Amino acid sequence: MINHPFLCFVPILLIIAQSAEGCYTSIFAFGDSLTDNGNLLALSAPRIIHQGRLPNGETYFHHPTGRCCDGRLIVDFLAQQFGLPIPPPYTEVSKERTMDVRAGVNFAVAGARALDTDFYDKIGIIDPVTNDTLRVQLDWFKHMLPSICGPEKDCGGQLKSSLVLLGPFGGNDYRYALFQGASLAERKLLAHLITDAAVSAVNELVELGVGAVMVPGLVPDGCLAVSLTYFGSPNTGNYDLSTGCINWLNEFAEYHNELLQTKLNMARKRHPTAAIIYADYYNAILQLYRNPEEYGFRRTTAACCGDGGPYNYNKEVQCGDPPTTVCPDPSVYINWDGPHFTEAANRWITSALLRGPGRYTLPHLDTSCISEAASARHFTDA
Ligand SMILES: *[C@@H]1O[C@H](CO)[C@@H](O)[C@H](O)[C@H]1NC(C)=O
């Protein structure tokens, strides 16, 4: 018994536990395709969807994983930076009942919207991809709490040191609404409902005992190859000439983000001891589009993986479906496939959130446990 091989690992585990002191002991994530690391692919099986095909996954995993990316997403980088395993997709842990879920689970589903399907059914806007909305993902989490909290059922203790990444949400709500003809006034109304939904999810998680919830704002939608293709215009006045992004789409993202921050402030007043963190994806990403060369990027608005056109994005075929092709060096592209970012961009964004000037998180994430050596290792290995 003394010579049981597993005992050899005990000292190593102790070291890991110690090094995580002050930071987070688990990471749970909710969201859409910017955060989904395998759920939609598993939920669509046996049908293989485009993110289940190469070149998705080629850079880091060397096989497709269901991520809309050549490699890691922000949630993956965050977990690695905090010395945690990449949180497994919910669909995997709900199948393999024996998997340890205490270090985290990823509930995000590509295509997911923030608002309930019932609501959209009433106003006649359909989501062609999934009905696994924010509400559905939160229910999955709540059903899993007995496994997450362990045999001691110490949910308070377990969740207190957890980090929840809640979003971003809203990208699909607005995109499907726009495609189906929603006016600006209608989208502003949606923004109120979406930010309410996000903040009530924050309150719910904090009331369950979660110590830190990070809520990202919308990304600069007007810079994405998908938006530039759908909403392109001969009127140069529509564009920010320094970045090539569409102004009215970015202004709407700013509108959403302002509302979200106002409502997060209200949640902070209600729960003063919880860390309710706003992650400014918008300005971090815009910084990349403004100074790409400074950070090693040579292509900004065009997608790396696509099927031609001014932004290498074709509405009819998604990356992974024939006849899309992939660029030789994704590490110099910001945009992967139209709506999503490359691993290189996700790495840069994560680094900006953790230690960039201003750090783009308010209040700051607790990074006291991240050693320089460990963080450098995870940011460089491929
Ligand atoms: C979502 O639910 C609606 C009914 O509420 C259904 O018509 C639609 O097919 C569902 N969409 C998906 C992608 O499952």
Side-chain angles (χ1 to χ4, degrees), residues 255-276:
Y255 175 82
H256 168 104
N257 291 344
E258 289 296 325
L259 264 184
L260 178 62
Q261 289 178 81
T262 307
K263 291 178 186 178
L264 287 176
N265 267 331
M266 284 152 59
R268 288 183 192 117
K269 291 209 179 83
R270 185 156 151 191
H271 298 291
T273 58
I276 298 175

Side-chain angles (χ1 to χ4, degrees), residues 123-276:
I123 60 172
I125 300 178
I126 61 150
D127 184 330
V129 177
T130 180
N131 283 325
D132 295 324
T133 59
L134 170 56
R135 168 61 38 207
V136 172
Q137 296 175 26
L138 280 174
D139 285 345
W140 289 342
F141 173 71
K142 286 194 269 184
H143 281 126
M144 202 169 264
L145 278 179
S147 323
I148 291 168
C149 301
E152 305 84 30
K153 297 206 166 54
D154 175 21
C155 270
Q158 165 70 11
L159 295 181
K160 188 125 211 75
S161 54
S162 296
L163 173 67
V164 165
L165 175 64
L166 188 78
F169 271 105
N172 293 314
D173 297 71
Y174 298 126
R175 199 165 299 137
Y176 296 138
L178 264 176
F179 290 167
Q180 291 167 58
S183 68
L184 177 61
E186 285 165 336
R187 284 180 295 124
K188 284 191 167 173
L189 180 62
L190 275 185
H192 281 269
L193 301 175
I194 290 167
T195 51
D196 278 346
V199 173
S200 70
V202 170
N203 286 327
E204 205 170 326
L205 289 163
V206 168
E207 282 153 25
L208 286 168
V210 173
V213 186
M214 182 163 93
V215 190
L218 285 187
V219 307
D221 200 20
C223 302
L224 302 177
V226 59
S227 308
L228 288 157
T229 304
Y230 270 96
F231 304 109
S233 140
N235 179 359
T236 53
N238 275 1
Y239 297 87
D240 174 339
L241 297 182
S242 71
T243 56
C245 306
I246 297 175
N247 288 325
W248 63 270
L249 280 167
N250 280 0
E251 282 157 14
F252 188 78
E254 288 179 24
Y255 175 82
H256 168 104
N257 291 344
E258 289 296 325
L259 264 184
L260 178 62
Q261 289 178 81
T262 307
K263 291 178 186 178
L264 287 176
N265 267 331
M266 284 152 59
R268 288 183 192 117
K269 291 209 179 83
R270 185 156 151 191
H271 298 291
T273 58
I276 298 175

Side-chain angles (χ1 to χ4, degrees), residues 88-112:
Y90 163 74
T91 45
E92 195 176 307
V93 299
S94 59
K95 208 168 57 201
E96 301 272 332
R97 294 276 169 185
T98 52
M99 271 178 83
D100 189 351
V101 294
R102 283 174 295 179
V105 179
N106 188 341
F107 298 93
V109 181

Side-chain angles (χ1 to χ4, degrees), residues 71-82 86 342-348 350-351 354 378-381:
R72 287 163 287 183
L73 306 177
I74 294 169
V75 63
D76 302 319
F77 279 116
L78 277 175
Q80 290 187 330
Q81 287 290 292
F82 286 119
I86 287 178
T342 56
E343 158 157 314
N346 288 331
R347 172 193 289 112
W348 188 90
T350 310
S351 176
L354 294 175
H378 281 304
F379 273 137
T380 51
D381 59 4

Side-chain angles (χ1 to χ4, degrees), residues 40 47 113 117-118 120-121 126-132:
L40 185 68
R47 188 167 61 95
R113 295 187 293 198
T117 306
D118 281 358
Y120 283 115
D121 281 350
I126 61 150
D127 184 330
V129 177
T130 180
N131 283 325
D132 295 324

